[in-house]
Amino acid sequence: MKKLPLYLLPAAMLTLSLAAGCASGRRSAAGGEVTGVGGSAWAEPTPYGMVLVGRGSMEMGPQKADSLWNLDADTKGMSVDAFWMDETEVTNSKYKQFVFWVRDSIIRERLADPAYGGNEEFKIEEDKQGNPVTPHLNWSKPIPWRNPGEDEARAIESLYRVNPITGAKELDPEQLNYRYEVFNHTEAAKRANRLDPRRRQYNTDLAAPTTNPTISKDTAFIDDNGEIRTETITRSLTGPYDFLNNYIVNVYPDTTVWVNDFENAYNEPYVRMYFSNGGYSEYPVVGVSWEQANAFCNWRTDFLRKSLGREGVYVEPYRLPTEAEWEYAARAGQNENMYPWEGDLTMSEDRGCFYANFKPNDGNYVKDGHIITSRVGTYSPNDFGLYDMAGNVSEWTSTAFIEGVTDVTSDLNPEYRYSAAKEEPYKLRRKIVRGGSWKDVAHNIRSDLRMWEYQNEQRSYIGFRCVRSQIGFARGQQLDNKRR
C-alpha cells in the first residue's frame, strides 16, 4: 500500500506533528498532577503583497431594498476567520511569471528528454549522496537561450511557432499546459468517507455500514489529438488517493476576449498589446477563467513551498477567496457599507474625484479617467488596505452559484463548492464573481451584490486575487478590524 505524501495529509495532522516535534516535555513538580506539555508558538510572516484581514462578522447582502433595480433587502449574519488577501488584483506581470514558469518547465523537460539530446543536468534523479529521489527539474541549471547546441536549440524551438501571416516567431500558447493535483481535505475528513466502516456510524442502535461509500474525483489527460480531457470518475472508496484530483489547465490568457466581448468594436490593439506589452504590466490580468485562476493559486503555493527547501513542509495554500471572505474584506466589515467606502456616492462631493474605475455614464467610459482597466492601486484603498475592491475588474471567488446559495451555507466561514461532471448540465459550472468592473455602472460595482459566470469562460472584465488562511499568531498580533 502506498503511503500518502506528507503534503497531502490534512493540515490538522501536520500541524499536530510539527507541534509535537517542537514540544518539550516537562516534569510536574506538583506530585503527579497533569500540567500539560509545552510547545512552540509561531506567527506566520506577512506574505508578499498581502494584507491581514482579521476575523470578524457582518451581515452579508443588501441592507436596503431598491425598487429601481428590483432588489430586495436580503441579509444573513456570518463570521469569517482571519486570512491574508492580495492588496491588489493579480497583475499581468505576476500572472506572466506563472506563464513563463510553465514555459521554462516544459523546455527543461525537453532538454532532459533523450529525443532532444538527453542532458541529464536538467533533471535531478539522485541526491548528493547518490541515493535515488523522485525525479524533478533542476531549476539551478540555466536554459541556454543565447548559444544553444543543436539538440538544445530543437528543444527550445519546439515550444515556439511561426505566425503564418506575419512570419514572426512566437510562443505557442496551446502547449502551455500546467498539470497539478489537489487533495480534497473536506471530503476526506467527512465521517461518511472514513476508511474504517465502524467509525462512520457512532449510533450503536444502528448497524455499521457494510459497503464503502461512492466517491467522485476529477482526473485529466491529454488525448491522442493533443486535447485536454477532464473526466469525473465515480467509484467505491478504496483509499486516500481517491480524494486526490488531477487537473491539466492551459494557462495562457485568452487575449481575444477584447474582440469577443464586444461586437462591432475596434478593440484589436488590446488583443495584441494588453497582456504582452510591458506598459500594461501593472494592470489586472484578464481573459483568465476560474479554472486558470485556481491553477495559478496552486502554482503559487508550490512555488512558495519549494522555496522553503524542505520536503513535506505544510503551508496554508493560496486560494481564491470564498464569497463571504470577499464581501467581508470589500466592505471592511461594516454592515452599512454597500461599497468599499462609506456612503452611497461613487465620487467625493468636495473634490469631484471618483472612488473606483467604472462606467459613470452611458457610453462615457473615460469620465473617471480610464477607458478600460486602470493600473492596480490607482484609487485609494478601503479601511482594510485593499485596493480596487469595486470596479476595475470583477473577481472570481471559490464559491459555486446556485439559486438560494445563501440559504444552504453555514453562518461560520460560509462556503458552497460544487464540481460539476462533464455530463451534468452546464449551469452547474457557474461560479460567483464580485465587485463589478470598468465596464459596469455604479450599481453593479456594489460590494453587497452577487453575480456569476461560467467557470471556463474568459472575459475582458474578470480577474482575481488570492487569499491564504492565517494560521497561528502571537499574542496581540490578531487585529480587530474595526480599530484600523
Side-chain angles (χ1 to χ4, degrees):
M1 176 179 177
K2 293 183 178 179
K3 290 186 177 179
L4 195 63
L6 283 179
Y7 67 88
L8 296 181
L9 291 174
M13 296 174 62
L14 277 164
T15 302
L16 183 62
S17 65
L18 287 172
C22 297
S24 57
R26 59 182 182 186
R27 293 185 178 180
S28 169
E33 297 293 340
V34 175
T35 60
V37 176
S40 299
W42 71 95
E44 188 178 47
T46 301
Y48 178 79
M50 288 186 148
V51 297
L52 178 63
V53 178
R55 63 169 69 106
S57 64
M58 70 174 299
E59 294 180 1
M60 283 184 66
Q63 302 286 315
K64 300 177 183 178
D66 188 337
S67 58
L68 179 64
W69 291 89
N70 194 27
L71 184 67
D72 295 326
D74 183 20
T75 63
K76 177 179 180 177
M78 62 86 187
S79 297
V80 292
D81 210 340
F83 57 95
W84 301 97
M85 189 176 217
D86 282 332
E87 61 181 355
T88 71
E89 293 140 345
V90 172
T91 61
N92 282 321
S93 175
K94 289 183 178 179
Y95 194 83
K96 200 175 292 183
Q97 184 177 351
F98 175 37
V99 171
F100 286 176
W101 184 94
V102 173
R103 177 201 65 184
D104 292 354
S105 67
I106 294 172
I107 289 177
R108 282 187 166 85
E109 284 282 2
R110 293 179 183 176
L111 287 168
D113 189 336
Y116 294 98
N119 189 335
E120 297 178 353
E121 294 183 19
F122 284 97
K123 182 165 282 191
I124 298 173
E125 298 185 354
E126 296 181 349
D127 61 18
K128 294 180 179 179
Q129 287 72 41
N131 301 313
V133 296
T134 303
H136 59 277
L137 296 178
N138 181 8
W139 284 88
S140 64
K141 175 71 174 175
I143 295 174
W145 295 105
R146 293 193 173 183
N147 297 302
E150 182 178 346
D151 291 334
E152 294 172 329
R154 285 196 305 114
I156 295 172
E157 295 295 326
S158 68
L159 205 60
Y160 289 79
R161 66 185 183 188
V162 175
N163 187 302
I165 305 301
T166 66
K169 186 179 74 172
E170 59 188 20
L171 187 63
D172 184 2
E174 294 183 5
Q175 296 189 56
L176 299 179
N177 298 326
Y178 176 68
R179 186 189 301 265
Y180 70 103
E181 299 176 335
V182 175
F183 186 78
N184 193 331
H185 293 288
T186 300
E187 289 299 313
K190 287 182 177 178
R191 181 179 295 176
N193 291 334
R194 287 175 176 168
L195 298 178
D196 185 349
R198 296 168 298 179
R199 299 185 63 234
R200 298 177 196 152
Q201 175 58 260
Y202 284 177
N203 188 339
T204 56
D205 293 337
L206 301 176
T210 57
T211 58
N212 285 338
T214 299
I215 60 94
S216 296
K217 64 173 292 184
D218 294 331
T219 186
F221 61 95
I222 297 179
D223 64 18
D224 294 338
N225 297 321
E227 298 291 330
I228 298 173
R229 301 294 183 190
T230 301
E231 294 184 353
T232 301
I233 300 173
T234 301
R235 65 187 184 195
S236 294
L237 176 65
T238 60
Y241 274 87
D242 287 333
F243 300 107
L244 189 64
N245 297 274
N246 304 285
Y247 299 99
I248 302 174
V249 177
N250 184 274
V251 303
Y252 204 84
D254 183 1
T255 59
T256 68
V257 291
W258 296 101
V259 167
N260 290 305
D261 286 344
F262 302 93
E263 294 185 1
N264 301 320
Y266 181 66
N267 289 333
E268 291 179 21
Y270 303 138
V271 174
R272 294 189 292 268
M273 306 295 285
Y274 186 80
F275 184 66
S276 61
N277 190 291
Y280 288 103
S281 289
E282 297 309 310
Y283 285 63
V285 67
V286 298
V288 172
S289 69
W290 182 87
E291 295 163 352
Q292 289 173 311
N294 275 286
F296 176 90
C297 292
N298 180 273
W299 166 79
R300 189 174 176 181
T301 304
D302 200 46
F303 193 67
L304 173 64
R305 182 186 295 116
K306 289 179 179 178
S307 73
L308 300 175
R310 292 172 57 192
E311 287 293 328
V313 64
Y314 181 85
V315 296
E316 276 295 312
Y318 290 98
R319 54 183 175 82
L320 293 178
T322 67
E323 180 192 27
E325 288 173 332
W326 194 98
E327 182 171 333
Y328 178 76
R331 297 169 67 186
Q334 301 298 317
N335 294 335
E336 301 79 16
N337 289 2
M338 68 169 63
Y339 294 106
W341 52 84
E342 294 182 4
D344 300 344
L345 301 178
T346 55
M347 62 186 300
S348 61
E349 292 183 285
D350 54 342
R351 294 181 298 163
C353 297
F354 285 96
Y355 295 140
N357 178 14
F358 65 106
K359 184 169 68 171
N361 294 115
D362 185 25
N364 191 344
Y365 292 88
V366 299
K367 188 175 180 179
D368 61 0
H370 308 276
I371 190 167
I372 55 168
T373 55
S374 59
R375 184 185 296 269
V376 297
T378 296
Y379 299 87
S380 298
N382 71 357
D383 287 347
F384 284 180
L386 299 166
Y387 295 86
D388 300 317
M389 295 300 284
N392 214 14
V393 292
S394 298
E395 299 178 15
W396 290 111
T397 73
S398 60
T399 307
F401 176 84
I402 57 171
E403 303 296 339
V405 63
T406 302
D407 299 328
V408 302
T409 54
S410 172
D411 58 1
L412 173 63
N413 295 317
E415 170 68 323
Y416 177 73
R417 294 187 178 181
Y418 190 81
S419 180
K422 70 175 183 179
E423 62 270 13
E424 292 186 289
Y426 188 50
K427 69 177 183 179
L428 296 180
R429 295 178 180 271
R430 292 178 293 180
K431 297 297 188 285
I432 292 173
V433 295
R434 287 300 204 111
S437 74
W438 58 270
K439 72 167 189 63
D440 289 310
V441 296
H443 174 268
N444 291 342
I445 66 170
R446 286 174 50 166
S447 304
D448 57 355
L449 296 184
R450 172 185 295 136
M451 299 181 183
W452 59 264
E453 183 54 271
Y454 293 102
Q455 66 185 52
N456 61 332
E457 282 285 0
Q458 297 152 303
R459 299 294 188 185
S460 61
Y461 47 86
I462 298 180
F464 69 101
R465 70 181 79 208
C466 303
V467 298
R468 281 178 67 194
S469 297
Q470 187 201 31
I471 54 170
F473 55 91
R475 183 175 298 174
Q477 179 186 341
Q478 183 68 45
L479 299 177
D480 179 349
N481 282 315
K482 294 182 179 180
R483 290 184 296 156
R484 287 193 173 191

